Amino acid sequence: MSYKNKTYVMFDADTDIRMYRLMTAWKANDNIDFNFHDAHDLNNLRKTTSEDQIKRKLKERLNNTKQAILLVGENTKNLYKFVRWEIEVAMSMDIPIIAVNLCKNNSSTEKTPPILKNKAYFVSVPFEQSKIKHALDKFPSEYHHKKSEAPSDRSYTWK
């Protein structure tokens, strides 16, 4: 279940942080059945921190993670400094990645970074609380059982 394992959330901090904050608000609301252990709670980062220090702390978070969410917005596939690096590290650590599409066409993976689409088995879901929860609850175990049987485009879309 998603509430038992730490979840690392990757996103464009300039444009998509509001969606990350909405997910944490769902988690904090006792009337919404949505819970996850947020790996971002592990250590704090400051704007004055160097890129190397930030990456070291992000890697610490990923080391304590069993699953990852990638919030896929308009600019995500063009982000290389941190988001692509986070994806590469997650893939190298064999962490299941759930791509959550923030764009209007929720079933499309056109905005998903190519590195993920071309090299990883992942699931793509729309930004809907129930679908994200379902993916967090089910995909990580499925990932470890079925990644070698992934379709040729390496993605799977849950509806």
Side-chain angles (χ1 to χ4, degrees):
M1 302 304 272
S2 60
Y3 59 87
K4 292 182 181 178
N5 297 317
K6 289 211 178 349
T7 303
Y8 186 93
V9 184
M10 301 174 270
F11 57 92
D12 178 354
D14 294 327
T15 60
D16 300 330
I17 194 164
R18 68 189 188 288
M19 304 312 273
Y20 165 71
R21 298 247 189 267
L22 179 55
M23 287 176 54
T24 61
W26 291 340
K27 176 183 172 212
N29 187 328
D30 292 336
N31 297 319
I32 297 176
D33 182 21
F34 187 82
N35 197 4
F36 66 100
H37 283 286
D38 190 355
H40 288 276
D41 293 338
L42 293 176
N43 51 38
N44 292 322
L45 298 172
R46 294 186 168 82
K47 288 185 178 186
T48 59
T49 308
S50 73
E51 181 178 339
D52 286 341
Q53 289 172 318
I54 290 171
K55 286 183 175 179
R56 187 175 35 80
K57 288 191 179 241
L58 294 177
K59 193 162 186 181
E60 279 179 39
R61 291 177 182 176
L62 282 161
N63 278 329
N64 290 291
T65 298
K66 297 294 182 200
Q67 58 205 9
I69 289 177
L70 171 63
L71 298 180
V72 181
E74 287 295 324
N75 303 314
T76 306
K77 75 177 187 177
N78 301 317
L79 300 176
Y80 289 86
K81 188 174 187 178
F82 292 112
V83 173
R84 181 184 171 112
W85 178 85
E86 290 169 311
I87 293 168
E88 289 173 341
V89 172
M91 288 170 37
S92 73
M93 298 172 93
D94 205 25
I95 296 171
I97 299 173
I98 299 162
V100 177
N101 195 334
L102 304 178
C103 302
K104 290 182 173 128
N105 184 355
N106 282 329
S107 64
S108 173
T109 59
E110 71 182 51
K111 300 287 183 184
T112 303
I115 188 168
L116 186 60
K117 286 195 318 190
N118 298 335
K119 296 184 179 179
Y121 176 46
F122 68 102
V123 67
S124 179
V125 297
F127 189 80
E128 295 175 26
Q129 178 269 322
S130 63
K131 292 183 179 176
I132 298 169
K133 180 185 183 306
H134 180 74
L136 285 170
D137 288 345
K138 304 292 184 190
F139 182 67
S141 62
E142 178 182 305
Y143 168 87
H144 291 293
H145 288 101
K146 295 186 177 181
K147 67 183 172 186
S148 63
E149 303 168 14
S152 59
D153 72 354
R154 312 289 297 163
S155 69
Y156 179 71
T157 302
W158 283 351
K159 303 207 175 180

